[in-house]
Amino acid sequence: MDKLLISNFAASLFALLNPLGVLPIFIGYSAGEKRIVQRWLALFVALTALVLLLVFFFAGSSLLKFFGISLDSFRIAGGILLLIIGIGIVKGDSSQAAKDLVAEDQQSDFREAQLVYRKIVIPLAMPLLVGPGVIANVVLYASEAEAKKDDALFAGLLVTIIVICFLVFVIFLSGRWLQKIVGDVGLNIVTRILGLLVAAIGVQFIITGLSNIIVSSIVPEILKIQ
């Protein structure tokens, strides 16, 4: 088993998921909820991220090939979605919509968490946590383990994914504590700044995807014609 490869995978996966960067957005969506509801939401989002990572780990490359989708096309689509989401966060529409949805049903804490989760699973779990970069990273390392035919390495990468998602859960659980430190006004400011950054990331995804398509597909065709 290649321990260096696994450690590199762990570091890159955590950096790409960037739960610390997504935390203010999670707090913005769940700020008005009770502590138990926030815990359920943290669990739901972390589990969703885990499921998505496992899907792309085991079948990512095959799934994209089956639908005829290139990674750059996926990157552009994710970028457009991030741009729209970022604008919504800056305007404050998303968090308010989530709170309005919860107001429709007050049966239980678990039910409240379910209602908010349905609204925030996009963008929190995907594409903010599990975005094109994360998917590319997971598919790359899974392909590496498959090429080496190393079952121990494959299992090590799998355990790494589970551990990183647990860390995401723990970090999101600290949201209430951070909320008390920065206060409602500070939280609102941070959330809107993060929304602007999310929109910027979306634009960058679009630019990168378009650039790669131009360089790898359009330019070679033009050179053939000449």
Side-chain angles (χ1 to χ4, degrees):
M1 182 172 62
D2 192 338
K3 294 183 178 179
L4 179 60
L5 187 68
I6 291 177
S7 62
N8 289 339
F9 175 64
S12 61
L13 181 61
F14 184 81
L16 289 169
L17 283 171
N18 191 22
L20 293 174
V22 177
L23 179 58
I25 299 176
F26 173 79
I27 296 173
Y29 278 114
S30 61
E33 306 305 323
K34 292 179 286 187
R35 184 184 298 251
I36 185 63
V37 175
Q38 291 181 333
R39 289 174 179 173
W40 278 117
L41 284 173
L43 179 61
F44 290 162
V45 173
L47 287 177
T48 303
L50 174 61
V51 170
L52 290 171
L53 288 174
L54 292 179
V55 168
F56 285 105
F57 182 73
F58 286 108
S61 57
S62 300
L63 194 61
L64 292 179
K65 288 179 182 177
F66 177 79
F67 288 102
I69 302 172
S70 68
L71 193 60
D72 287 319
S73 297
F74 186 84
R75 182 178 285 111
I76 293 172
I80 294 173
L81 184 58
L82 278 176
L83 177 60
I84 295 172
I85 290 167
I87 294 173
I89 293 173
V90 172
K91 293 171 62 179
D93 295 341
S94 299
S95 57
Q96 185 59 47
K99 293 175 184 177
D100 291 343
L101 184 62
V102 173
E104 296 175 4
D105 193 333
Q106 298 293 337
Q107 294 181 11
S108 67
D109 294 333
F110 182 78
R111 179 61 174 165
E112 286 183 37
Q114 284 183 314
L115 290 170
V116 179
Y117 167 76
R118 291 175 188 173
K119 190 68 180 180
I120 71 174
V121 62
I122 303 293
L124 277 179
M126 189 175 191
L128 287 181
L129 281 174
V130 184
V134 173
I135 293 172
N137 190 55
V138 170
V139 172
L140 175 64
Y141 278 92
S143 301
E144 183 75 14
E146 186 177 344
K148 291 184 176 181
K149 297 181 179 179
D150 188 339
D151 293 337
L153 175 60
F154 196 83
L157 296 176
L158 181 60
V159 171
T160 299
I161 291 175
I162 296 173
V163 171
I164 294 297
C165 286
F166 177 75
L167 289 178
V168 171
F169 171 62
V170 172
I171 290 172
F172 280 176
L173 280 181
S174 68
R176 189 90 176 188
W177 174 75
L178 182 60
Q179 180 185 350
K180 290 180 179 179
I181 293 178
V182 301
D184 292 337
V185 175
L187 182 61
N188 187 45
I189 294 173
V190 171
T191 301
R192 291 174 188 271
I193 292 175
L194 261 294
L196 181 60
L197 293 177
V198 168
I201 292 172
V203 173
Q204 186 60 55
F205 278 165
I206 295 172
I207 293 174
T208 301
L210 289 174
S211 298
N212 291 340
I213 290 175
I214 291 172
V215 172
S216 63
S217 301
I218 298 179
V219 172
E221 293 297 325
I222 294 176
L223 292 176
K224 285 181 182 180
I225 296 175
Q226 294 178 345

